[in-house]
Amino acid sequence: PMLLTSAKTRAISMQEDDAVLAGMEVFKEEHTSRKATGEEVFRIVCKRPSVYFDGMPVVIGIDHHITQWRVAERELQRLAQEDTLTGLSNRRHFHMEAASVMARAKRYGEALSLLMLDIDHFKHVNDTWGHQAGDEVLVETVQRIKDSLRGTDIPARWGGEEFIVLLPHTAMREAQLVAERLRRHLA
């Protein structure tokens, strides 16, 4: 109900109604957050002119709440880009991010390095202690990788127990130092 909305929201709605009565249509998607809970709300609002049975012009409004769809869409996007076990980018998403970073590095003549990491004898961990223990090793490995990198570095799970890290603005010598720091931190 309009009485529960803010004065600013009511004023915008009234302006839209006036525009609709003047012959325009309103079609918009809104994204707001509820003040009390912080919960996101997504809506599509459509307003069109009509005529009441007594001949008076009226505004017909349709308010579609699409929060579930937008939240599901966001989750699908996350699942398409993220390795579900480790939270790192997956290989497909890494390719997209790396292409952009490499193009920028090439254009501006910036240094760029790439590291590949592999957990030695990982099959032995899974075979001896089970896949749950192997998953725990992967999660801990990723945490240690993240702790050793800068915020601008781009780590990803390449597959299985293999990881890749793109190091923007990093020449060979600095990349060797990062690799050694990672090796020590993972050892």
Side-chain angles (χ1 to χ4, degrees), residues 41-156:
V41 178
F42 296 87
R43 304 168 32 207
I44 292 178
V45 177
C46 179
K47 294 181 178 183
R48 294 187 174 149
S50 188
V51 178
Y52 198 60
F53 68 88
D54 64 0
M56 292 294 295
V58 294
V59 175
I60 303 292
I62 301 172
D63 190 344
H64 298 281
H65 287 267
I66 59 169
T67 302
Q68 282 183 305
W69 295 327
R70 287 293 181 251
V71 170
E73 184 179 70
R74 185 184 294 157
E75 180 64 8
L76 285 173
Q77 182 71 27
R78 185 188 68 76
L79 290 171
Q81 296 176 348
E82 188 178 284
D83 174 63
T84 54
L85 176 64
T86 64
L88 289 181
S89 290
N90 60 26
R91 183 188 286 210
R92 186 174 143 270
H93 188 246
F94 177 82
H95 275 286
M96 292 187 309
E97 284 199 45
S100 173
V101 171
M102 290 187 314
R104 188 172 41 253
K106 183 177 180 181
R107 179 176 182 183
Y108 296 109
E110 298 171 346
L112 182 66
S113 295
L114 185 72
L115 300 178
M116 293 289 297
L117 298 89
D118 177 271
I119 301 174
D120 291 340
H121 314 291
F122 185 72
K123 183 177 179 338
H124 179 71
V125 172
N126 278 336
D127 291 347
T128 304
W129 292 286
H131 289 278
Q132 185 171 349
D135 287 353
E136 290 173 19
V137 168
L138 291 172
V139 169
E140 178 63 24
T141 298
V142 165
Q143 190 56 55
R144 290 179 184 212
I145 290 171
K146 286 179 176 180
D147 290 346
S148 298
L149 298 175
R150 304 169 298 186
T152 56
D153 298 332
I154 304 169

Side-chain angles (χ1 to χ4, degrees), residues 29-49:
E29 182 170 332
E30 293 182 342
H31 173 217
T32 58
S33 295
R34 293 196 171 119
K35 287 181 183 175
T37 63
E39 176 188 8
E40 292 183 292
V41 178
F42 296 87
R43 304 168 32 207
I44 292 178
V45 177
C46 179
K47 294 181 178 183
R48 294 187 174 149

